[in-house]
Amino acid sequence: MGSGNKEKVQYSKRIRYLRRLILTSVAAACLIPICICVILAVRYDRLNSKYEQARADLDWYRQRFGNEKDILALEDTDETPSEGGEGSSAGAFESMDVDYATVDVSGAQNPEDIEGTRYVYLTFDDGPSIYTDEILDILAEYDVKATFFVCGKPDAKYTDSYKRIVDEGHTLGMHSYSHKYSDIYSSVDAFSEDFKKLRHFLYDTTDVLPRYYRFPGGSSNKVTKVDIHELMDVLEADGVTYFDWNVSAGDDRAGATKDTIYNNIVGNIPRFKHCIVLMHDAADKKSTVEALPEVIEAIQAMDDTVIVPITDDTLPVQHINNN
Ligand SMILES: [Zn+2]
């Protein structure tokens, strides 16, 4: 009788165990897909907002550079340093062989002429973009300060990017509010209005009043309908200095890759004692971000070379002087 009871107890124990097992399995079978769905939904949402941001960035870019390419292709057939400049990879910009460092530009000095330290200024045009944070992360990782020549992008998603540039000790420069060549280079008034709009916008956003400017297309651009010297006067009247570049990443040229960007920068820096390096912070310039860590490592490994942000002490590189 005792053994019969024992068997019964064991039997019901097993039943309970099995029941628990089945219930747990059913619960797990329901919960796991739900969890996966939730995780996927969150990831989808994140990716989707990133995608939307990238699309908005690209639209911003296309609006400006779509027309600009046509203008430049029509008007600009010479090869000048400015062609390395602005977001255009079509028309006259197609050549990958242009060596910008061989172009004689003021402020670009022969290493033999000057003893001492080489100063390298990394500059990023056209931001903020979906890559600004990534660029800032890389700069922070290598403890490097750079200069950002930004445009006016009032969308709230960029507010933190402007602030982060300033908060992390980088120099905030101006690169026109609209970056629309057809507008800013149509008249002195249009240029002046755009310049003031950007300056106020940046001051409102960051509490910093920027003092440095980079002309879209560089000071040697051939798009402007007004004499560039008149536009320089606008900047000068407000105590703003403009900077071009003597080393170009070439990241705006067709076929630019991580390697071509690396070679364009690292290969040309030894030619100058003051290197102002042109790069872009834009949605379609992923290769620039990819090249950046190795570019910084290579520069930091050069003798007597420092990477610094543009300040009032920086010797400006200017393709065209205002005199
Ligand atoms: Zn630009």
Side-chain angles (χ1 to χ4, degrees):
M1 183 165 170
S3 76
N5 262 347
K6 229 183 208 172
E7 262 175 36
K8 258 190 192 169
V9 169
Q10 269 183 353
Y11 181 71
S12 63
K13 252 189 189 170
R14 207 171 300 158
I15 294 282
R16 248 178 293 161
Y17 172 74
L18 278 174
R19 194 186 294 158
R20 213 174 297 150
L21 193 70
I22 289 165
L23 282 174
T24 313
S25 305
V26 170
C30 293
L31 275 175
I32 290 170
I34 290 172
C35 287
I36 291 172
C37 282
V38 170
I39 291 167
L40 287 178
V42 169
R43 289 188 69 173
Y44 171 79
D45 203 49
R46 255 187 231 155
L47 283 174
N48 202 36
S49 69
K50 260 200 164 174
Y51 168 75
E52 289 297 331
Q53 198 174 334
R55 243 181 55 167
D57 263 20
L58 277 174
D59 284 347
W60 186 91
Y61 229 62
R62 275 199 203 109
Q63 270 177 22
R64 278 141 188 90
F65 295 117
N67 295 335
E68 180 186 317
K69 280 173 189 169
D70 301 337
I71 296 168
L72 288 165
L74 283 173
E75 297 187 1
D76 199 355
T77 49
D78 299 331
E79 286 183 352
T80 71
S82 69
E83 289 171 0
E86 291 316 312
S88 179
S89 48
F93 289 12
E94 256 165 29
S95 167
M96 290 292 291
D97 311 321
V98 185
D99 181 359
Y100 297 102
T102 60
V103 177
D104 183 31
V105 291
S106 71
Q109 295 153 31
N110 191 311
E112 273 108 12
D113 293 344
I114 303 173
E115 297 295 319
T117 312
R118 169 182 295 109
Y119 295 93
V120 178
Y121 303 87
L122 301 179
T123 70
F124 297 90
D125 284 13
D126 299 345
S129 79
I130 50 163
Y131 291 125
T132 308
D133 274 331
E134 232 172 295
I135 291 171
L136 288 168
D137 289 346
I138 294 168
L139 295 173
E141 195 185 321
Y142 288 94
D143 196 19
V144 162
K145 305 295 180 214
T147 303
F148 291 78
F149 288 104
V150 298
C151 295
K153 301 184 187 182
D155 195 311
K157 71 187 174 207
Y158 290 126
T159 307
D160 287 342
S161 303
Y162 291 113
K163 285 186 182 158
R164 210 184 140 192
I165 289 170
V166 168
D167 290 347
E168 298 189 3
H170 305 287
T171 296
L172 187 69
M174 296 168 282
H175 190 48
S176 82
Y177 190 96
S178 74
H179 208 292
K180 279 184 185 157
Y181 284 40
S182 54
D183 177 38
I184 58 172
Y185 291 138
S186 64
S187 70
V188 174
D189 283 348
F191 178 85
S192 176
E193 197 180 307
D194 176 279
F195 157 67
K196 290 193 161 88
K197 187 177 176 187
L198 177 63
R199 209 172 187 212
H200 290 151
F201 168 72
L202 293 177
Y203 183 67
D204 284 346
T205 309
T206 65
D207 284 334
V208 168
L209 193 64
R211 300 191 299 279
Y212 314 112
Y213 193 90
R214 173 166 286 152
F215 288 102
S219 64
S220 54
N221 80 79
K222 298 196 175 140
V223 187
T224 179
K225 302 231 179 336
V226 262
D227 184 348
I228 195 80
H229 296 95
E230 289 185 50
L231 308 184
M232 290 166 180
D233 290 342
V234 170
L235 301 178
E236 208 174 300
D238 270 8
V240 169
T241 309
Y242 66 93
F243 286 80
D244 290 310
W245 58 91
N246 51 3
V247 175
S248 171
D251 55 355
D252 52 346
R253 277 176 260 165
T257 64
K258 183 187 164 186
D259 289 341
T260 63
I261 290 167
Y262 177 93
N263 291 332
N264 283 336
I265 299 174
V266 177
N268 281 309
I269 282 176
R271 311 174 71 109
F272 305 104
K273 273 293 178 184
H274 289 81
C275 302
I276 300 201
V277 181
L278 170 68
M279 288 180 275
H280 292 86
D281 168 14
D284 62 345
K285 305 286 189 293
K286 190 178 190 343
S287 302
T288 307
V289 185
E290 288 169 348
L292 190 57
E294 283 168 41
V295 165
I296 293 173
E297 282 169 28
I299 299 170
Q300 287 181 332
M302 292 177 187
D303 288 336
D304 300 322
T305 301
V306 292
I307 304 176
V308 283
I310 286 176
T311 66
D312 291 345
D313 295 330
T314 306
L315 184 72
V317 167
Q318 297 174 335
H319 298 159
I320 293 181
N321 288 321
N322 191 19
N323 48 39

